[in-house]
Amino acid sequence: MNTLFDKIWDAHVVQQVPDGPTQLYIDRLYCHEVTSPQAFDGMRARGLRCFRPERIVCMPDHNTPTHDQDKPIADPVSRKQVETLERNAREFGIKHFGMFSKDNGIIHVVGPEKGLSLPGMTIVCGDSHTSTHGAMGAVAFGIGTSEVEMVLASQCILQQKPKSMRINIEGRLGKGVTAKDVALYLMAQLTTSGATGYFVEYAGSTVRDMSMEGRLTLCNLSIEMGARGGFIAPDDTTINYICGREYAPKGEAWDKAVAYWRTLRSGDDAVFDRELTFRAEDIESRITYGTNPGMGVSITECIPAVGGGRALDYMGFKPGECLLGKKVDYIFLGACTNGRIEDFRAFASIVEGRQKAADVVAWLVPGSWAVDQQIREEGLDRVLEAAGFEIRQPGCSACLAMNDDKVPAGKLCLATSNRNFEGRQGPGSRTILCSPLTAAAAAVTGVITDPRTLL
């Protein structure tokens, strides 16, 4: 029997080009301000209109400042990109969730929380972390600017079909071990190229026990293993999460959709091109030490005694060095990886009754205005503010140096985001990736701390 990936892919094939790629129908295109301007210019130059504008959503996030969003953006490049997206959306008749509106946030947070990303869909965006939406049971992947133009014009894309991989994770995660730690563990095991050419289905009891927020985090990081994307078969957790969302089906359409979603699973005899199994009890709280997400260890382990080379030179670390107790300068909670309500709950659970370390700068950035509202409804804002933290306004923030939230050269930041490349958070900045619990533990101690000791 076919894998779930085969089922969704095959259901969207328009035609197979002889000795060439597949013409694949796309259910949802997300456009942000960074990779779409040239695509819209291409449409304009050819005198084309969007084929199915109701299938497209535009939203600024990368260049969005996380303060004073009610004022004009100070940086001229960021302001131009955000304004250009709004103008293009208006000209081409596309839904636009503008900055400072209740609908805005990070596109990979807003899509699922609004019910725009649904099981069985094909979803694309000009952003590699589009794989996040795979947690909904969708085939979701990032595309380039020329491909964005292709989807705008035809609602289709030309793609080579990837190979299939299933990663099973079995067992119960230990205290303080999160989906982020699972993803960092997988990247260390497979390396950042170990899933290249594959589309990954995550399965097993550990994955089934994850919340939707955890699943979104896991799928978000699929690209960091080199995978084309990653997804999880929809189940009751998925359906309960979608129920009542703004753009989710309603009434009879809901019943029909749920009946279809329950068929979306790989058959018991499905054959994958590659299949791997890991045990949950082997996974601890984790941190990275190098300049790619696969260079990671359990938080109680030391950096490997050999290798590292340029990456360790850049980070200022040495082979065999242990990072527990290392002074931290910045903390970043947020991004499309860990900017959801569950992540803020986790952070608050550590800092409640404690105080932010005096010499630590902390940026706590919700992934959307909906997350911001929920933080306040649950009283997490009062817990965080009592501990000395400020909640900033939604946006991609310090995940990447395309807005005001840049880490200064040489400073060390513990970040819940997805990439620790050289200069990713600012020229010369140094990044350690971690979970919200680990970020919180360092935020109150001022040093890298095993969060399990504070739970």
Side-chain angles (χ1 to χ4, degrees), residues 283-307:
I283 305 172
E284 295 186 291
S285 300
R286 295 187 67 84
I287 52 175
T288 60
Y289 60 85
T291 54
N292 73 59
M295 299 178 75
V297 291
S298 296
I299 197 166
T300 55
E301 292 180 329
C302 298
I303 295 171
V306 294

Side-chain angles (χ1 to χ4, degrees), residues 5 9 21-22 24 26 29 108 121-135 138-148 150-151 156-167 190-202 218-232 273-274 419:
F5 177 75
W9 181 278
T22 301
L24 195 71
I26 299 301
L29 168 65
H108 305 315
M121 277 186 166
T122 49
I123 300 171
V124 295
C125 174
D127 186 281
S128 57
H129 294 106
T130 307
S131 58
T132 310
H133 305 264
V139 168
F141 52 93
I143 57 176
T145 297
S146 61
E147 294 169 312
V148 171
M150 196 183 299
V151 181
C156 292
I157 194 171
L158 295 175
Q159 285 284 294
Q160 295 287 351
K161 186 177 181 180
K163 295 180 289 185
S164 62
M165 177 190 293
R166 181 159 63 186
I167 296 179
L190 273 73
T191 76
T192 51
S193 61
T196 300
Y198 292 92
F199 214 97
V200 176
E201 178 177 348
Y202 298 101
L218 181 61
C219 290
N220 173 272
L221 288 155
S222 302
I223 188 71
E224 309 307 337
M225 299 186 297
R228 196 71 183 91
F231 73 117
I232 297 167
D273 294 301
R274 189 180 182 193
R419 286 180 174 162

Side-chain angles (χ1 to χ4, degrees), residues 48-60:
L48 298 176
R49 305 298 297 172
C50 292
F51 180 58
R52 290 194 171 157
E54 73 279 1
R55 295 279 182 171
I56 306 167
V57 175
C58 292
M59 185 188 315

Side-chain angles (χ1 to χ4, degrees), residues 329 407-412 427-430:
D329 302 302
V407 176
K411 298 297 184 182
L412 183 64
S429 62
R430 301 181 298 147

Side-chain angles (χ1 to χ4, degrees), residues 92-375:
F92 286 88
I94 300 171
K95 189 185 301 294
H96 177 256
F97 294 154
M99 197 178 79
F100 206 58
S101 76
K102 68 176 179 60
D103 301 310
N104 186 251
I106 303 171
I107 208 161
H108 305 315
V109 174
V110 173
E113 77 182 7
K114 283 195 165 295
L116 286 162
S117 300
L118 298 172
M121 277 186 166
T122 49
I123 300 171
V124 295
C125 174
D127 186 281
S128 57
H129 294 106
T130 307
S131 58
T132 310
H133 305 264
M136 310 305 296
V139 168
F141 52 93
I143 57 176
T145 297
S146 61
E147 294 169 312
V148 171
E149 183 179 344
M150 196 183 299
V151 181
L152 289 172
S154 68
Q155 208 56 39
C156 292
I157 194 171
L158 295 175
Q159 285 284 294
Q160 295 287 351
K161 186 177 181 180
K163 295 180 289 185
S164 62
M165 177 190 293
R166 181 159 63 186
I167 296 179
N168 305 292
I169 311 164
E170 302 289 355
R172 191 181 185 90
L173 294 173
K175 181 179 81 168
V177 181
T178 71
K180 180 64 167 292
D181 298 305
V182 173
L184 291 174
Y185 175 83
L186 293 177
M187 285 185 276
Q189 297 299 308
L190 273 73
T191 76
T192 51
S193 61
T196 300
Y198 292 92
F199 214 97
V200 176
E201 178 177 348
Y202 298 101
S205 59
T206 309
V207 176
R208 288 193 297 273
D209 287 343
M210 286 182 182
S211 65
M212 278 309 302
E213 287 88 352
R215 296 177 185 190
L216 288 158
T217 294
L218 181 61
C219 290
N220 173 272
L221 288 155
S222 302
I223 188 71
E224 309 307 337
M225 299 186 297
R228 196 71 183 91
F231 73 117
I232 297 167
D235 57 12
D236 287 343
T237 299
T238 321
I239 293 166
N240 292 337
Y241 178 88
I242 296 169
C243 184
R245 302 274 168 182
E246 186 176 351
Y247 291 93
K250 306 290 191 298
E252 287 185 20
W254 170 258
D255 296 334
K256 184 177 180 181
V258 169
Y260 166 61
W261 295 342
R262 292 196 183 281
T263 69
L264 295 177
R265 57 183 296 273
S266 292
D268 294 337
D269 56 353
V271 177
F272 294 81
D273 294 301
R274 189 180 182 193
E275 188 158 10
L276 301 168
T277 299
F278 299 95
R279 299 297 308 176
E281 50 265 36
D282 294 334
I283 305 172
E284 295 186 291
S285 300
R286 295 187 67 84
I287 52 175
T288 60
Y289 60 85
T291 54
N292 73 59
M295 299 178 75
V297 291
S298 296
I299 197 166
T300 55
E301 292 180 329
C302 298
I303 295 171
V306 294
R310 170 177 167 161
L312 291 186
D313 290 341
Y314 180 85
M315 293 297 293
F317 300 152
K318 294 181 173 61
E321 182 179 3
C322 295
L323 297 182
L324 275 178
K326 177 76 69 176
K327 184 182 180 298
V328 173
D329 302 302
Y330 280 73
I331 298 292
F332 171 49
L333 171 67
C336 58
T337 315
N338 284 122
R340 299 176 183 82
I341 187 61
E342 184 178 276
D343 304 310
F344 278 81
R345 289 175 187 148
F347 193 96
S349 73
I350 291 275
V351 307
E352 185 170 15
R354 298 183 169 97
Q355 281 293 306
K356 182 180 77 68
D359 53 352
V360 167
V361 176
W363 290 326
L364 277 53
V365 187
S368 70
W369 282 106
V371 173
D372 180 87
Q373 179 181 349
Q374 198 165 355
I375 287 169

